[in-house]
Amino acid sequence: MITKRQLYIKRIFDSVVVLFFLPFFILPILILVVIATIDTKQWGIYSQQRVGQHGKLFKIYKIRTLDNGAHQLGQLERGASPIGVFLRRTKLNELPQLYNVLIGDMSFVGPRPDVLGFADLLEGSDRVILKVKPGVTGPATLKYKNEEQLLAEQEDAEYFNKTVIWTDKVKINKNYVLNYSFYLDLILIVKSIFNI
């Protein structure tokens, strides 16, 4: 299981890497915010409350990709323009989460942060997942990188998400925490960058 020392090293790594790369991404993020603002006719940064380490709530930041209407799981891309679809599929909408990493709400690698009703309801040994900061990427994120398309194919996306995808993600994320290594984080980062 991940130790306090490993968590400390993980945080140092996150801080050093984000401080090095953030200056290179500030201009692209600002450009994407302007494009998203024009495209969605709303402020181009979207924030939402998510469940973080130890169950603490925090605000996650993304480039806005959807209009202001109601959106259903499995049909999110219907509320997005071609620009929004492109940003979601390339994960460029996730770039503002570098700020979340900088301030310590997130790590580069870990379980994806969930909305209320999932991680906050974990019980028993499954709560070990909350020992780590949620990640920009992670083993479950890589397995379900086409999650939106998968959900779009389901007759009942909400049910499929709760009974199949979420259940599997808990197993994957639990295994990540219980068998954590810094080397594993590096492998997951490389796989995420090269989409493998």
Side-chain angles (χ1 to χ4, degrees):
M1 186 188 299
I2 193 166
T3 65
K4 285 184 179 181
R5 182 173 178 274
Q6 287 173 319
L7 286 171
Y8 181 68
I9 292 170
K10 190 172 168 65
R11 178 59 190 152
I12 291 174
F13 173 80
D14 288 337
S15 300
V16 170
V17 173
V18 78
L19 285 171
F20 179 80
F21 282 106
L22 193 57
F24 299 101
F25 284 101
I26 288 175
L27 184 59
I29 289 171
L30 290 176
I31 292 170
L32 289 175
V33 169
V34 171
I35 291 171
T37 300
I38 295 168
D39 185 50
T40 64
K41 299 178 177 61
Q42 302 171 80
W43 174 231
I45 291 284
Y46 170 77
S47 66
Q48 187 182 47
Q49 208 171 53
R50 296 290 177 95
V51 179
Q53 188 179 31
H54 308 304
K56 180 184 174 185
L57 299 180
F58 73 98
K59 274 190 176 181
I60 194 173
Y61 297 96
K62 298 185 178 190
I63 301 293
R64 189 181 294 276
T65 58
L66 303 174
D67 60 29
N68 206 21
H71 305 291
Q72 258 187 312
L73 193 66
Q75 299 179 13
L76 294 179
E77 289 191 353
R78 293 185 186 180
S81 68
I83 291 172
V85 170
F86 171 76
L87 292 175
R88 293 178 75 85
R89 289 187 179 176
T90 58
K91 307 299 184 187
L92 288 172
N93 66 315
E94 311 281 358
L95 280 177
Q97 286 160 45
L98 290 173
Y99 174 72
N100 287 115
V101 175
L102 179 67
I103 63 175
D105 286 333
M106 292 178 66
S107 174
F108 279 110
V109 183
R112 280 298 292 168
D114 289 296
V115 295
L116 285 164
F118 289 91
D120 53 309
L121 300 181
L122 288 169
E123 296 180 342
S125 62
D126 290 342
R127 289 189 67 81
V128 73
I129 294 169
L130 297 175
K131 284 183 68 73
V132 300
K133 294 179 190 294
V136 176
T137 189
T141 306
L142 287 170
K143 179 174 180 179
Y144 289 102
K145 57 187 173 185
N146 298 318
E147 184 175 331
E148 285 190 24
Q149 290 92 326
L150 179 61
L151 288 170
E153 296 166 2
Q154 308 307 315
E155 191 172 321
D156 187 339
E158 293 276 357
Y159 180 78
F160 187 82
N161 184 50
K162 286 182 179 178
T163 60
V164 179
I165 295 179
W166 169 245
T167 303
D168 191 34
K169 282 182 177 180
V170 169
K171 291 176 185 174
I172 294 168
N173 291 326
K174 189 174 175 181
N175 183 63
Y176 167 78
V177 176
L178 293 175
N179 298 285
Y180 175 79
S181 75
F182 182 68
Y183 178 67
L184 174 61
D185 271 8
L186 295 179
I187 290 173
L188 293 170
I189 289 170
V190 170
K191 284 184 174 182
S192 298
I193 291 171
F194 294 102
N195 197 29
I196 55 177

